[in-house]
Amino acid sequence: MEFPVDDSGQALALMPFDVATWTEEEARVQFQRFRWSEHGGRPTCGHCGSDAVNTHKRRRIYKCKNCFRQFSDTSGTPWAYRKLGFRKLMLVISVFADNRQAVPARTLARQLRLNYKTVLLWVHKLREAIAHHASLQQLSGDVEVDASYHGGNVRPKNVKKTQKDLRKIPYRANDRAFAVVGARQRDGSIRTCVVKEEAHARPFLCEAIAPGANVFTDMESGFKPMRGRYCLFQINHKLAYYTPEACTNAIETLWALMRVLGRTHRHIAQNYLDLYAAEAAWTLLKGKKAVGQAFAELMAWMSKPRRSPLAGYFQGRKRSLPVHRADGTIAMWKPAPRRGRADFIDKDGKVVEFKPRRTRDKTWREEWNFLSAEAFLNEPTAVPNGPGVYAFFARDETGMLTASGYVEQPNLPLWLHDGAAHIYTGETFGIRGRLLEHVRGSIRGSPLRETLLALQFDQGLLPVAPAEEHRAVVEENLTEWMRDNVVIGFKSCGYVRDMERIILTATASPMNLVRPNANDYTKGLHERRRRFRDQVVATWPAVTARAITRRRR
């Protein structure tokens, strides 16, 4: 495809802004110019090569006058089976080609208002076309060779004493760890392949590099047998990054760009690793090309008569990763199923099974400790005084909770433990001190105690005592009730506010008045507490706050 040239000599190619201004019919005309560029823009039968065709006006297909076969503008190419309109399809390609580093498929889908999976499939098809075109190139002259390992990162344990040195895994035994080997001709093309070990790339390099070329590598021992076929120059990176005899800085630029791709895309699936490597190599080279030439290259490569290996993606035919072996064959790799998969092999040869990471929404019920309020008051040190969440469970033999009018909601089940029902949840950075405040403190520091006393007052269960002693008697009576009827649960954890929010969202907690899913029952408790404060607490003698002496600074 030739482009018009302006006065300054720069090629004026199609840019995303130009494509966005087209109508669907104008985009179709432009697409035909690219698709049939080898035949002067005339639709040509791919079976007999005749350009004498009839055009159907309604179905937008052609019929050959020679062999009477029907075909369309996309038949027999990776464009086949497309459902996107020509305008949106060319807009995806123009944005993909115009970007200088990387553009996530989700960003493209949001900007162009397309389905994410549709955009993801098309950018994968573009990467596959790039990789196929690169595989047809042969390198010569001065060629730099290097490798970079990708994937297979095993997340270390949180606690230092339980962490293992995963660098000692033999052969990087993780089944998702692969090496991308790249060969770059200086001022020329780049070839890439995926191998399990760097030395396995020798057959690929002997096919990709013409005999007699000058090959520059690091001190990898697997490249030394290539010395008879090529003029091999090796550099020891422990001593220098560059010497007048050897340098691999040009190909190592590719690994820097692949790290950018990894950060931009957030995740690179291992069965598409070779396609991302081919895209990085093409992106590295297109910076020196004329404006719009990358778009023209993609349109030309996608228009070649060939079936895309990614056809049938939405029918469940997922792609396998071609991994080059040491004997020159190619093995097709797919990620193992999560169940029963060996995640990695440690230095002792023990297989560690895969354990998927679960969110707090699914693990909030785990690692709880329970004890009765009586046991806690007898030995408070049984509860650590660190950060975490706690929960109160009440045995309702007295009928106080039942008489309060609580009705279990179907979408918010009640958490039960050992015959006790969950009534209150809280978070703190000192569990022991906070629990002591709830169990034997006062209503000034415990909203749970105030709510329970409000329920006792509403049901006429408060003890009778002189006004000056009534407060102490009521508080002591509530402490004894909690000693006999309450079970305490606690869990040490970080992110205590997030954990409390998750618990309150997942289960009922009748005594939590401030919660994300408030209901009529909690509103009724607010009214009971107001009456309790107005009719009972107001008659108690005022308690002055303890003076806190502060050091002058």
Side-chain angles (χ1 to χ4, degrees), residues 83-137:
K83 294 184 179 179
L84 281 183
F86 289 105
R87 175 178 170 271
K88 288 188 175 181
L89 190 57
M90 295 181 72
L91 192 56
V92 170
I93 298 171
S94 62
V95 174
F96 180 84
D98 185 60
N99 195 276
R100 290 301 179 184
Q101 285 190 342
V103 54
R106 196 168 294 279
T107 301
L108 270 176
R110 184 176 64 253
Q111 293 176 349
L112 304 181
R113 297 184 180 180
L114 297 174
N115 184 274
Y116 164 70
K117 292 181 67 176
T118 301
V119 175
L120 181 65
L121 174 61
W122 278 110
V123 295
H124 277 333
K125 284 188 175 183
L126 296 178
R127 294 183 182 114
E128 195 279 329
I130 294 171
H132 176 72
H133 175 78
S135 66
L136 304 178
Q137 311 301 313

Short mmCIF file of all heavy atoms in Angstrom, two decimals, residues 83-137:
data_model
loop_
_atom_site.label_atom_id
_atom_site.label_comp_id
_atom_site.label_asym_id
_atom_site.label_seq_id
_atom_site.Cartn_x
_atom_site.Cartn_y
_atom_site.Cartn_z
N LYS A 83 -17.25 -10.08 13.35
CA LYS A 83 -18.58 -9.53 13.57
C LYS A 83 -18.55 -8.03 13.79
O LYS A 83 -19.59 -7.38 13.78
CB LYS A 83 -19.26 -10.23 14.75
CG LYS A 83 -19.55 -11.70 14.49
CD LYS A 83 -20.30 -12.34 15.64
CE LYS A 83 -20.60 -13.81 15.34
NZ LYS A 83 -21.33 -14.47 16.46
N LEU A 84 -17.37 -7.49 14.03
CA LEU A 84 -17.24 -6.04 14.16
C LEU A 84 -17.38 -5.39 12.80
O LEU A 84 -16.99 -5.96 11.77
CB LEU A 84 -15.87 -5.69 14.75
CG LEU A 84 -15.68 -5.82 16.26
CD1 LEU A 84 -14.28 -5.34 16.64
CD2 LEU A 84 -16.71 -5.02 17.02
N GLY A 85 -17.90 -4.18 12.80
CA GLY A 85 -17.94 -3.42 11.56
C GLY A 85 -16.55 -3.01 11.13
O GLY A 85 -15.59 -2.99 11.93
N PHE A 86 -16.40 -2.67 9.85
CA PHE A 86 -15.07 -2.32 9.32
C PHE A 86 -14.51 -1.08 10.03
O PHE A 86 -13.31 -0.98 10.28
CB PHE A 86 -15.16 -2.08 7.81
CG PHE A 86 -15.38 -3.33 7.02
CD1 PHE A 86 -16.61 -3.61 6.47
CD2 PHE A 86 -14.36 -4.24 6.85
CE1 PHE A 86 -16.83 -4.76 5.74
CE2 PHE A 86 -14.54 -5.40 6.12
CZ PHE A 86 -15.79 -5.67 5.57
N ARG A 87 -15.36 -0.14 10.35
CA ARG A 87 -14.88 1.10 10.99
C ARG A 87 -14.30 0.80 12.36
O ARG A 87 -13.18 1.24 12.68
CB ARG A 87 -16.03 2.11 11.09
CG ARG A 87 -15.67 3.38 11.84
CD ARG A 87 -16.85 4.34 11.85
NE ARG A 87 -16.62 5.45 12.76
CZ ARG A 87 -16.93 5.45 14.05
NH1 ARG A 87 -17.49 4.36 14.58
NH2 ARG A 87 -16.69 6.48 14.81
N LYS A 88 -15.02 0.06 13.20
CA LYS A 88 -14.52 -0.25 14.54
C LYS A 88 -13.31 -1.17 14.48
O LYS A 88 -12.38 -1.05 15.29
CB LYS A 88 -15.63 -0.88 15.38
CG LYS A 88 -16.71 0.10 15.80
CD LYS A 88 -17.67 -0.51 16.80
CE LYS A 88 -18.68 0.52 17.30
NZ LYS A 88 -19.62 -0.04 18.29
N LEU A 89 -13.32 -2.09 13.53
CA LEU A 89 -12.19 -3.00 13.40
C LEU A 89 -10.91 -2.26 13.04
O LEU A 89 -9.85 -2.48 13.64
CB LEU A 89 -12.51 -4.05 12.35
CG LEU A 89 -11.55 -5.25 12.23
CD1 LEU A 89 -11.45 -5.97 13.55
CD2 LEU A 89 -12.03 -6.19 11.14
N MET A 90 -10.99 -1.34 12.08
CA MET A 90 -9.81 -0.58 11.69
C MET A 90 -9.43 0.43 12.77
O MET A 90 -8.26 0.79 12.91
CB MET A 90 -10.08 0.13 10.36
CG MET A 90 -10.29 -0.83 9.20
SD MET A 90 -10.57 0.00 7.63
CE MET A 90 -8.94 0.65 7.29
N LEU A 91 -10.40 0.87 13.57
CA LEU A 91 -10.09 1.79 14.67
C LEU A 91 -9.29 1.06 15.75
O LEU A 91 -8.33 1.62 16.31
CB LEU A 91 -11.37 2.36 15.24
CG LEU A 91 -11.24 3.54 16.21
CD1 LEU A 91 -10.47 4.68 15.56
CD2 LEU A 91 -12.60 4.02 16.67
N VAL A 92 -9.65 -0.19 16.05
CA VAL A 92 -8.87 -0.98 17.01
C VAL A 92 -7.44 -1.15 16.52
O VAL A 92 -6.47 -0.99 17.28
CB VAL A 92 -9.53 -2.36 17.22
CG1 VAL A 92 -8.61 -3.28 18.03
CG2 VAL A 92 -10.86 -2.21 17.94
N ILE A 93 -7.27 -1.44 15.22
CA ILE A 93 -5.94 -1.67 14.68
C ILE A 93 -5.12 -0.38 14.67
O ILE A 93 -3.93 -0.37 15.00
CB ILE A 93 -6.05 -2.25 13.26
CG1 ILE A 93 -6.76 -3.59 13.31
CG2 ILE A 93 -4.69 -2.40 12.61
CD1 ILE A 93 -7.12 -4.14 11.96
N SER A 94 -5.75 0.73 14.34
CA SER A 94 -5.01 1.99 14.29
C SER A 94 -4.54 2.43 15.66
O SER A 94 -3.41 2.91 15.83
CB SER A 94 -5.88 3.08 13.65
OG SER A 94 -7.05 3.31 14.42
N VAL A 95 -5.39 2.26 16.69
CA VAL A 95 -4.98 2.61 18.06
C VAL A 95 -3.88 1.67 18.53
O VAL A 95 -2.90 2.09 19.16
CB VAL A 95 -6.19 2.57 19.01
CG1 VAL A 95 -5.75 2.80 20.45
CG2 VAL A 95 -7.22 3.62 18.60
N PHE A 96 -4.01 0.38 18.24
CA PHE A 96 -2.99 -0.59 18.62
C PHE A 96 -1.66 -0.29 17.96
O PHE A 96 -0.60 -0.39 18.59
CB PHE A 96 -3.47 -1.99 18.24
CG PHE A 96 -2.52 -3.09 18.57
CD1 PHE A 96 -2.50 -3.65 19.84
CD2 PHE A 96 -1.63 -3.58 17.63
CE1 PHE A 96 -1.61 -4.67 20.15
CE2 PHE A 96 -0.74 -4.59 17.93
CZ PHE A 96 -0.73 -5.15 19.19
N ALA A 97 -1.69 0.09 16.68
CA ALA A 97 -0.45 0.35 15.95
C ALA A 97 0.15 1.69 16.31
O ALA A 97 1.38 1.86 16.27
CB ALA A 97 -0.72 0.27 14.45
N ASP A 98 -0.67 2.67 16.66
CA ASP A 98 -0.15 4.02 16.92
C ASP A 98 0.51 4.13 18.28
O ASP A 98 1.35 5.01 18.49
CB ASP A 98 -1.30 5.03 16.82
CG ASP A 98 -0.82 6.46 16.96
OD1 ASP A 98 0.00 6.90 16.13
OD2 ASP A 98 -1.25 7.14 17.91
N ASN A 99 0.15 3.24 19.22
CA ASN A 99 0.72 3.33 20.58
C ASN A 99 2.19 2.95 20.55
O ASN A 99 2.57 1.95 19.93
CB ASN A 99 -0.06 2.41 21.53
CG ASN A 99 0.23 2.73 22.98
OD1 ASN A 99 1.20 2.25 23.53
ND2 ASN A 99 -0.61 3.55 23.57
N ARG A 100 3.02 3.71 21.26
CA ARG A 100 4.46 3.51 21.22
C ARG A 100 4.96 2.46 22.21
O ARG A 100 6.08 2.00 22.08
CB ARG A 100 5.18 4.84 21.52
CG ARG A 100 5.05 5.85 20.40
CD ARG A 100 5.62 5.32 19.11
NE ARG A 100 5.50 6.26 18.01
CZ ARG A 100 5.87 5.98 16.76
NH1 ARG A 100 6.34 4.79 16.47
NH2 ARG A 100 5.73 6.88 15.81
N GLN A 101 4.16 2.11 23.20
CA GLN A 101 4.61 1.08 24.13
C GLN A 101 3.58 -0.03 24.24
O GLN A 101 3.79 -1.10 23.71
CB GLN A 101 4.90 1.71 25.51
CG GLN A 101 6.18 2.51 25.54
CD GLN A 101 6.56 2.92 26.95
OE1 GLN A 101 5.74 2.91 27.86
NE2 GLN A 101 7.81 3.31 27.13
N ALA A 102 2.48 0.22 24.90
CA ALA A 102 1.45 -0.80 25.04
C ALA A 102 0.15 -0.13 25.41
O ALA A 102 0.14 0.92 26.05
CB ALA A 102 1.84 -1.83 26.10
N VAL A 103 -0.93 -0.76 25.02
CA VAL A 103 -2.26 -0.28 25.40
C VAL A 103 -3.07 -1.49 25.85
O VAL A 103 -3.20 -2.48 25.12
CB VAL A 103 -2.94 0.45 24.23
CG1 VAL A 103 -2.98 -0.39 22.97
CG2 VAL A 103 -4.34 0.90 24.62
N PRO A 104 -3.59 -1.50 27.08
CA PRO A 104 -4.35 -2.66 27.56
C PRO A 104 -5.64 -2.85 26.77
O PRO A 104 -6.26 -1.88 26.31
CB PRO A 104 -4.64 -2.31 29.03
CG PRO A 104 -3.68 -1.22 29.38
CD PRO A 104 -3.42 -0.47 28.12
N ALA A 105 -6.05 -4.09 26.63
CA ALA A 105 -7.28 -4.40 25.92
C ALA A 105 -8.48 -3.81 26.64
O ALA A 105 -9.45 -3.36 26.00
CB ALA A 105 -7.44 -5.91 25.76
N ARG A 106 -8.43 -3.75 27.95
CA ARG A 106 -9.56 -3.19 28.70
C ARG A 106 -9.69 -1.69 28.44
O ARG A 106 -10.79 -1.14 28.39
CB ARG A 106 -9.40 -3.46 30.19
CG ARG A 106 -10.68 -3.27 30.98
CD ARG A 106 -10.54 -3.82 32.38
NE ARG A 106 -10.37 -5.25 32.40
CZ ARG A 106 -11.37 -6.12 32.29
NH1 ARG A 106 -12.61 -5.68 32.14
NH2 ARG A 106 -11.14 -7.42 32.34
N THR A 107 -8.56 -1.00 28.30
CA THR A 107 -8.60 0.42 27.96
C THR A 107 -9.19 0.63 26.58
O THR A 107 -10.01 1.53 26.36
CB THR A 107 -7.19 1.02 28.04
OG1 THR A 107 -6.68 0.85 29.37
CG2 THR A 107 -7.21 2.50 27.70
N LEU A 108 -8.76 -0.19 25.62
CA LEU A 108 -9.32 -0.10 24.26
C LEU A 108 -10.83 -0.34 24.28
O LEU A 108 -11.59 0.38 23.63
CB LEU A 108 -8.65 -1.12 23.36
CG LEU A 108 -7.39 -0.68 22.61
CD1 LEU A 108 -6.81 -1.85 21.84
CD2 LEU A 108 -7.69 0.47 21.68
N ALA A 109 -11.25 -1.37 25.03
CA ALA A 109 -12.67 -1.68 25.07
C ALA A 109 -13.47 -0.54 25.69
O ALA A 109 -14.58 -0.22 25.22
CB ALA A 109 -12.89 -2.97 25.87
N ARG A 110 -12.92 0.10 26.72
CA ARG A 110 -13.65 1.20 27.36
C ARG A 110 -13.71 2.43 26.46
O ARG A 110 -14.74 3.10 26.35
CB ARG A 110 -12.98 1.56 28.68
CG ARG A 110 -13.71 2.63 29.48
CD ARG A 110 -13.06 2.89 30.81
NE ARG A 110 -11.72 3.43 30.68
CZ ARG A 110 -10.61 2.75 30.94
NH1 ARG A 110 -10.68 1.49 31.34
NH2 ARG A 110 -9.42 3.30 30.80
N GLN A 111 -12.61 2.75 25.79
CA GLN A 111 -12.58 3.94 24.93
C GLN A 111 -13.43 3.77 23.68
O GLN A 111 -14.07 4.73 23.24
CB GLN A 111 -11.13 4.25 24.55
CG GLN A 111 -10.27 4.70 25.72
CD GLN A 111 -8.82 4.91 25.32
OE1 GLN A 111 -8.41 4.54 24.21
NE2 GLN A 111 -8.04 5.50 26.20
N LEU A 112 -13.43 2.56 23.11
CA LEU A 112 -14.17 2.33 21.86
C LEU A 112 -15.57 1.77 22.11
O LEU A 112 -16.30 1.50 21.16
CB LEU A 112 -13.39 1.36 20.97
CG LEU A 112 -11.96 1.79 20.64
CD1 LEU A 112 -11.30 0.76 19.73
CD2 LEU A 112 -11.94 3.16 19.98
N ARG A 113 -15.92 1.56 23.41
CA ARG A 113 -17.25 1.05 23.78
C ARG A 113 -17.54 -0.29 23.12
O ARG A 113 -18.57 -0.52 22.50
CB ARG A 113 -18.34 2.07 23.42
CG ARG A 113 -18.20 3.39 24.17
CD ARG A 113 -19.33 4.34 23.86
NE ARG A 113 -19.16 5.60 24.60
CZ ARG A 113 -20.00 6.61 24.53
NH1 ARG A 113 -21.08 6.53 23.76
NH2 ARG A 113 -19.79 7.72 25.22
N LEU A 114 -16.56 -1.20 23.29
CA LEU A 114 -16.69 -2.55 22.77
C LEU A 114 -16.60 -3.54 23.92
O LEU A 114 -16.18 -3.21 25.02
CB LEU A 114 -15.58 -2.84 21.74
CG LEU A 114 -15.57 -1.97 20.48
CD1 LEU A 114 -14.34 -2.28 19.65
CD2 LEU A 114 -16.83 -2.23 19.65
N ASN A 115 -16.99 -4.78 23.64
CA ASN A 115 -16.86 -5.83 24.63
C ASN A 115 -15.38 -6.17 24.85
O ASN A 115 -14.61 -6.27 23.89
CB ASN A 115 -17.63 -7.07 24.18
CG ASN A 115 -17.61 -8.17 25.22
OD1 ASN A 115 -16.70 -8.98 25.27
ND2 ASN A 115 -18.64 -8.20 26.06
N TYR A 116 -15.01 -6.37 26.11
CA TYR A 116 -13.60 -6.61 26.43
C TYR A 116 -13.06 -7.87 25.76
O TYR A 116 -11.96 -7.87 25.19
CB TYR A 116 -13.42 -6.71 27.94
CG TYR A 116 -12.12 -7.32 28.37
CD1 TYR A 116 -10.91 -6.64 28.20
CD2 TYR A 116 -12.08 -8.59 28.94
CE1 TYR A 116 -9.71 -7.20 28.57
CE2 TYR A 116 -10.88 -9.16 29.32
CZ TYR A 116 -9.70 -8.46 29.14
OH TYR A 116 -8.52 -9.02 29.51
N LYS A 117 -13.83 -8.96 25.78
CA LYS A 117 -13.35 -10.21 25.19
C LYS A 117 -13.19 -10.09 23.68
O LYS A 117 -12.29 -10.69 23.10
CB LYS A 117 -14.30 -11.34 25.55
CG LYS A 117 -14.30 -11.70 27.03
CD LYS A 117 -15.24 -12.85 27.31
CE LYS A 117 -14.76 -14.13 26.70
NZ LYS A 117 -15.62 -15.28 27.07
N THR A 118 -14.04 -9.30 23.05
CA THR A 118 -13.91 -9.08 21.61
C THR A 118 -12.60 -8.36 21.29
O THR A 118 -11.86 -8.76 20.38
CB THR A 118 -15.10 -8.28 21.08
OG1 THR A 118 -16.31 -8.97 21.37
CG2 THR A 118 -14.99 -8.05 19.59
N VAL A 119 -12.32 -7.30 22.03
CA VAL A 119 -11.08 -6.56 21.80
C VAL A 119 -9.87 -7.43 22.12
O VAL A 119 -8.87 -7.42 21.39
CB VAL A 119 -11.07 -5.27 22.65
CG1 VAL A 119 -9.74 -4.55 22.53
CG2 VAL A 119 -12.21 -4.35 22.23
N LEU A 120 -9.94 -8.21 23.21
CA LEU A 120 -8.83 -9.07 23.57
C LEU A 120 -8.52 -10.07 22.47
O LEU A 120 -7.34 -10.32 22.15
CB LEU A 120 -9.16 -9.80 24.87
CG LEU A 120 -8.08 -10.74 25.42
CD1 LEU A 120 -6.84 -9.96 25.82
CD2 LEU A 120 -8.60 -11.55 26.59
N LEU A 121 -9.55 -10.66 21.86
CA LEU A 121 -9.32 -11.61 20.79
C LEU A 121 -8.65 -10.95 19.59
O LEU A 121 -7.71 -11.51 19.01
CB LEU A 121 -10.65 -12.26 20.38
CG LEU A 121 -10.58 -13.17 19.15
CD1 LEU A 121 -9.64 -14.33 19.42
CD2 LEU A 121 -11.97 -13.68 18.78
N TRP A 122 -9.09 -9.75 19.23
CA TRP A 122 -8.53 -9.10 18.05
C TRP A 122 -7.09 -8.64 18.27
O TRP A 122 -6.26 -8.75 17.37
CB TRP A 122 -9.41 -7.93 17.61
CG TRP A 122 -10.57 -8.39 16.78
CD1 TRP A 122 -11.88 -8.40 17.13
CD2 TRP A 122 -10.51 -8.95 15.47
NE1 TRP A 122 -12.65 -8.93 16.12
CE2 TRP A 122 -11.83 -9.27 15.07
CE3 TRP A 122 -9.47 -9.23 14.58
CZ2 TRP A 122 -12.14 -9.83 13.85
CZ3 TRP A 122 -9.78 -9.80 13.35
CH2 TRP A 122 -11.09 -10.09 13.00
N VAL A 123 -6.77 -8.17 19.45
CA VAL A 123 -5.36 -7.78 19.68
C VAL A 123 -4.48 -9.02 19.73
O VAL A 123 -3.31 -8.98 19.32
CB VAL A 123 -5.22 -6.93 20.96
CG1 VAL A 123 -5.95 -5.61 20.82
CG2 VAL A 123 -5.69 -7.67 22.20
N HIS A 124 -5.02 -10.16 20.20
CA HIS A 124 -4.25 -11.40 20.14
C HIS A 124 -4.04 -11.83 18.68
O HIS A 124 -2.97 -12.34 18.33
CB HIS A 124 -4.97 -12.51 20.91
CG HIS A 124 -4.71 -12.48 22.39
ND1 HIS A 124 -3.56 -11.96 22.93
CD2 HIS A 124 -5.45 -12.92 23.44
CE1 HIS A 124 -3.60 -12.08 24.24
NE2 HIS A 124 -4.74 -12.64 24.58
N LYS A 125 -5.06 -11.64 17.85
CA LYS A 125 -4.88 -11.96 16.44
C LYS A 125 -3.84 -11.06 15.79
O LYS A 125 -3.06 -11.50 14.93
CB LYS A 125 -6.22 -11.83 15.71
CG LYS A 125 -7.19 -12.98 15.96
CD LYS A 125 -8.41 -12.88 15.07
CE LYS A 125 -9.32 -14.09 15.25
NZ LYS A 125 -10.49 -14.05 14.35
N LEU A 126 -3.81 -9.80 16.18
CA LEU A 126 -2.78 -8.90 15.65
C LEU A 126 -1.40 -9.35 16.11
O LEU A 126 -0.44 -9.34 15.33
CB LEU A 126 -3.06 -7.47 16.11
CG LEU A 126 -4.36 -6.83 15.61
CD1 LEU A 126 -4.51 -5.43 16.19
CD2 LEU A 126 -4.36 -6.76 14.09
N ARG A 127 -1.26 -9.74 17.36
CA ARG A 127 0.03 -10.22 17.86
C ARG A 127 0.44 -11.50 17.12
O ARG A 127 1.63 -11.70 16.81
CB ARG A 127 -0.06 -10.49 19.35
CG ARG A 127 -0.26 -9.22 20.18
CD ARG A 127 -0.27 -9.54 21.67
NE ARG A 127 -0.52 -8.34 22.45
CZ ARG A 127 -1.59 -8.13 23.20
NH1 ARG A 127 -2.52 -9.07 23.28
NH2 ARG A 127 -1.74 -7.01 23.88
N GLU A 128 -0.53 -12.37 16.83
CA GLU A 128 -0.20 -13.60 16.12
C GLU A 128 0.26 -13.31 14.70
O GLU A 128 1.18 -13.96 14.19
CB GLU A 128 -1.43 -14.51 16.11
CG GLU A 128 -1.13 -15.95 15.73
CD GLU A 128 -1.02 -16.13 14.22
OE1 GLU A 128 -1.70 -15.38 13.50
OE2 GLU A 128 -0.24 -17.00 13.78
N ALA A 129 -0.35 -12.31 14.04
CA ALA A 129 0.10 -11.92 12.71
C ALA A 129 1.51 -11.35 12.75
O ALA A 129 2.33 -11.60 11.85
CB ALA A 129 -0.88 -10.89 12.11
N ILE A 130 1.81 -10.58 13.79
CA ILE A 130 3.17 -10.04 13.95
C ILE A 130 4.17 -11.17 14.14
O ILE A 130 5.24 -11.19 13.53
CB ILE A 130 3.20 -9.06 15.14
CG1 ILE A 130 2.35 -7.83 14.84
CG2 ILE A 130 4.63 -8.66 15.47
CD1 ILE A 130 2.15 -6.92 16.04
N ALA A 131 3.80 -12.15 15.01
CA ALA A 131 4.71 -13.27 15.26
C ALA A 131 4.91 -14.12 14.00
O ALA A 131 6.02 -14.58 13.73
CB ALA A 131 4.15 -14.13 16.40
N HIS A 132 3.85 -14.31 13.22
CA HIS A 132 3.98 -15.10 11.99
C HIS A 132 4.89 -14.39 10.98
O HIS A 132 5.73 -15.04 10.35
CB HIS A 132 2.60 -15.32 11.38
CG HIS A 132 2.64 -16.03 10.06
ND1 HIS A 132 2.94 -17.37 9.94
CD2 HIS A 132 2.43 -15.57 8.79
CE1 HIS A 132 2.91 -17.72 8.67
NE2 HIS A 132 2.60 -16.66 7.95
N HIS A 133 4.73 -13.08 10.83
CA HIS A 133 5.61 -12.36 9.90
C HIS A 133 7.06 -12.41 10.36
O HIS A 133 7.97 -12.57 9.54
CB HIS A 133 5.14 -10.90 9.78
CG HIS A 133 6.05 -10.06 8.95
ND1 HIS A 133 6.05 -10.10 7.57
CD2 HIS A 133 7.01 -9.14 9.30
CE1 HIS A 133 6.96 -9.26 7.10
NE2 HIS A 133 7.55 -8.67 8.12
N ALA A 134 7.29 -12.28 11.67
CA ALA A 134 8.67 -12.33 12.17
C ALA A 134 9.30 -13.69 11.95
O ALA A 134 10.51 -13.79 11.72
CB ALA A 134 8.69 -11.96 13.65
N SER A 135 8.50 -14.76 12.00
CA SER A 135 9.05 -16.10 11.82
C SER A 135 9.54 -16.35 10.40
O SER A 135 10.28 -17.31 10.16
CB SER A 135 7.99 -17.15 12.17
OG SER A 135 6.90 -17.09 11.26
N LEU A 136 9.14 -15.49 9.46
CA LEU A 136 9.59 -15.64 8.07
C LEU A 136 10.90 -14.93 7.79
O LEU A 136 11.45 -15.06 6.70
CB LEU A 136 8.51 -15.10 7.12
CG LEU A 136 7.11 -15.72 7.27
CD1 LEU A 136 6.14 -15.05 6.30
CD2 LEU A 136 7.14 -17.22 7.06
N GLN A 137 11.41 -14.17 8.77
CA GLN A 137 12.64 -13.40 8.58
C GLN A 137 13.85 -14.24 8.98
O GLN A 137 13.79 -15.04 9.92
CB GLN A 137 12.61 -12.12 9.40
CG GLN A 137 11.33 -11.30 9.26
CD GLN A 137 11.08 -10.88 7.83
OE1 GLN A 137 11.99 -10.39 7.14
NE2 GLN A 137 9.86 -11.07 7.36
#
